[in-house]
Each structure stands twice: as structure tokens, then as C-alpha cells.
Amino acid sequence: MNQPPAGRRNFDFNEPLLFEKINEGCFGVDLPEGEASHRIADDLVALALGNHARGEKETLSLSEHSEPEICRHFTRLSRWNFSIDTNSYPLGSCTMKYNPRINEWAGRLPGFSQLHPYLPEERLQGALSIMWDLQNSLSEIGGFSQTTLQPSAGAQGEFVGVMMIKAALKARGENRTKMLVPQSAHGTNPATAAFFGFEVVSLRSTPDGCIDLEDIKAKMNEDTAGIMITNPNTLGIFEKDIVTISHMIHDQGGFVYGDGANLNALMGMARPGDFGIDVMHFNLHKTFTTPHGGGGPGCGAVGAAQSLTPFLPVPLVAQKADGAFYFDNDRPLSIGKVRSFYGNFGMMVRAWTYIREMGPAGLKKASELAVLNANYIRARLKDHYHLAYQTDCLHEVVFTDKWQQEKNHVSTLDIAKRLIDHGMHPPTIYFPLVVSGALMIEPTETESKVQVDATCDAFIEVAAEAKSNPENLKSAPQNTALRRLDEAFAARNPVLKWTPEMPTSGEAFKKYAQLLNGRE
Ligand SMILES: *Cc1c(COP(=O)(O)O)cnc(C)c1O
């Protein structure tokens, strides 16, 4: 299969940088003819650059291009991007679902997108009502008494939640030093606990992929602040003993932190607050359809049960007796403010729109379909890839490279790279860490059966090729602009700026990158 698959033909990967295109005398801005146009252009540059504008006689050494050239250059480059709007993106623990365009439209409405955060509350009533409604909707979905929308990411939500736990312990006059974290946890969990000075105590999994209750029994004590738990866990498996676990922690005065980044299996089906979770972050940029990946704005809203509500950050949006909304800063036990202004408001508009358009029945249906899609994939692929756990999954499923490794020395990385040649984004790989050579697939509810089948077909073809022609996998991807990259080298020696003297490939480039990073 060295022909590009149908979806990737027509890609022009020979796109030089603008600096490399010599094209003098072109002018790319639509301005009147003649002298005047140069004056306008100079004025624009001066205005754009402010005091940094160059003197009158100096010219910037920029390459020259016509407007259509520029437009085509960037449009061609944009086609190198892989996105949820071009193809399916079964990245596990990420919930890469399609984001309905109406949410984007709502987020961009000028009345929302151009609101100034310093406007007085009377002028912000519409925005405040959306925040109020979203706080309440998320509390209802998660089974919590209050929710803050301030944190900008799941990781910051964890930061807020663990800070609240610490504040609650302090209010009781306690200084507990340990935090239980299952082996399968997302890396941000132990990182957050460690950030607050907790000793991270790792919990074993049982052969069915759940937390080992005996291990909790042995490790939970009055020096332990609580547990950080993900349910369904990062193996896509429901922690069936969650209620017992919460009791075990609460009985010894601890708190239960829930990692609710991926709520795609639970919306409308079950409520973490009802399991005994005291505080949990939602990732609006995963479950509640804001496009993500690549570090765009996020929202790691945090819901709290009664036990921790007093410690939530300020301000919360509240409502007066006359119906007017306001920022409630009068919360004496609050951990304080955790972000400038009020959070990423555009995301709140999107999430609010999504929840409103779905309604309770729609959210439940989304969860059902997400779980159905993952189990369908599990059933179709289980004879081709080794299943990490035999337990039925919820919204995601974890396979491994065991069979391909043993028989053909083909690794998870090789499989992932070959899937790129099929026009697919690879699944999450080598995570969770408890599974050796993990391939973690999360299809989400927004993929149709036709698409889910196409995804499975690609996986099955790659598994067959691992037997018939393993070398093809080891040299994949073959149909992309760049072939197999040395990712570790790139991460350690980033070259983020183009210069004319820069070598573009091979050993010369490696030397250049190392010199640039002072490693030679
Ligand atoms: C994505 C994710 C996080 C972190 O969320 P960010 O917004 O990337 O900081 C935490 N836990 C789990 C389980 C996740 O999937």
C-alpha cells in the first residue's frame, strides 16, 4: 500500500516557505493604484508596529507575494493539518468528538465574544445568566451542589480541587501528608498531588482492570488526605466498587477527588456526586464540545459536593432575590481566585449551547452511543489485537501490541505510524502506563457506523500487514510530508525559527539543532 489512500491524494507536500519563493514586485494588499497605495501601506505598517516601525527610508526585507499566492500558500498548508473536521480522531482519554457548528456560531456572537470583563454587572446580565445556568447544569449532570467555571484546563481543575481538599483539612486542623492514586491514573493526578507536597501512594489494579480494594485497605489511614480516582478509569473500565471505595476513604476522614475529564460514558447515565465523589473536574474541551488539542483555550470546571462547596474559588455566579445575577465574592472559606477575570467565557457559551441543544435525553443518548461505538470496536478488533483486559469497556477500549511484538517484532509505535498512511489519526499510545504497548481507542458518539467500520478496517489491515510485510510498518508513515520523525530528539532540541543558513535535513540539521540548544 504505497499509493496514498484516497483521502490523502491531492495533497501538495512540496510547499516552500514564503521566504524561499523569490517573487519580486508583487504586492498583496487590495489598495488603490499608484503612490497613494504605498503611503497607505506604510501607514498601516506604522500603525501595526507602533513605535517599532522603521524609519521612512528603511524597507523591511520581506518576500513579496500577490494576495492569491498568499491565500493559496496558507490554504495548502492548512490542508496538512489533521483535524476532527477532516477525519476521525480516535485518540483515547481525549474525547475528540465533532463540535457542532452552532456552538461555534454562538461563541462568536459579538455580544459574547467582544464583552469586556470590566463591564459592570448590570451590563453583563446575559453573560452571567449563561454562567449561572451552566454552573447549575454541570452540577446537575455531575451530582454536585456547586460548580466553578474558572479553571482553564483539566490540570488546573485538579489543582483547584486538591487545593480545596487541603483547605478543608486545614479547617479541621489536620495536616495529612499522603494521597492515593491508582497506577492507571492520568499523569496530571500524581503531578497535582505532588505539587501540593503530598506523597503519592500508588494503588494496584486487579486482573479485571479495577482498583484493588485490599490495596486501599492496606494504604488508607488517618495520614492520607484521600484518593484521586477516574471512573470509568483510563482503561475504559467502570470502577464497579466506587461506592465502597468512597466509604472506605470517608470513614477515615479522607476526600474523594474525581477526575471527570472524560465524562462521555456517564452523562445522563450516572452521577459522580452520587458515587461519593467530593470534588471533580469536568473538561468542557473534551466532553462538552470545544475543539481542543494543540493547546487552545480550555475549561476545567470543578464541581463540589456539600462537603467542599465552601472552599470553591471566588467568584461564583449567584442570583439575588429580584432575579439579578452577580459575582459572589463573599465566601470566607474560599481558596480565593485562581484565574484572571472569570475563565474562558467563549467555552462556557459553547458548552451551554451544547447542553441546551442536546437536552437531558440527548446527553444520555450521546453516552449510550459512545459506549456502543467503543464496544463495537472492541468486538471487531479483539481477534486482531490483544485486549489488555477482558472486562467490557465503556467509552474507550485498550488493546496492546503483544501479538504483533511476539510474532513480528512490530511495536505499538509502528502500528500507530502505519495508521497515518490510512488517513487516520492514531489512537493514544503507550498510555495508560499499566498496560505495556497500549493502544487506546476512543471513537466518541459522533462517529457513524460507516466511519467506525472504516476505522476498524484500517486497524485490521495494519494487523494483517504486520504479518505479511512488517518492514512496511517500521518505515511508516510513507505517504506524508515528513516520514518517521525522531520525536525524542525533536523534543530535546526544538528548532522553532527558520533561518536562511539552516540545513534542512540529515546529520547537518541534527548538529545545527544541538548547537542551537547548547548541547554540543
Ligand atoms: C485530559 C485529561 C486530563 C487533563 O486535562 P487538560 O485539560 O489537558 O489539563 C486529566 N485527566 C484525564 C483523565 C484526562 O483525560
Side-chain angles (χ1 to χ4, degrees), residues 130-199:
I130 282 190
M131 293 171 78
W132 161 261
D133 220 35
L134 182 60
Q135 284 177 187
N136 293 340
S137 299
L138 292 175
S139 295
E140 176 65 31
I141 291 167
F144 295 113
S145 78
Q146 264 288 13
T147 297
T148 173
L149 305 173
Q150 271 187 62
S152 302
Q156 200 192 2
E158 291 176 37
F159 173 93
V160 165
V162 173
M163 199 171 181
M164 288 162 61
I165 290 175
K166 199 145 177 147
L169 289 169
K170 191 168 170 209
R172 283 205 312 236
E174 291 183 18
N175 180 27
R176 301 190 177 209
T177 58
K178 294 180 185 155
M179 184 69 84
L180 304 180
V181 181
Q183 266 174 349
S184 61
H186 193 272
T188 47
N189 293 186
T192 305
F195 186 86
F196 282 101
F198 288 112
E199 180 193 329

Side-chain angles (χ1 to χ4, degrees), residues 414-451:
D414 301 326
I415 294 165
K417 294 294 182 192
R418 193 55 170 153
L419 287 166
I420 297 174
D421 283 330
H422 285 262
M424 256 182 70
H425 194 288
T428 294
I429 56 173
Y430 299 110
F431 177 79
L433 305 178
V434 274
V435 176
S436 163
L439 283 152
M440 182 200 222
I441 310 172
E442 181 183 3
T444 84
E445 78 283 5
T446 58
E447 300 304 326
S448 64
K449 177 160 184 300
V450 171
Q451 181 57 55

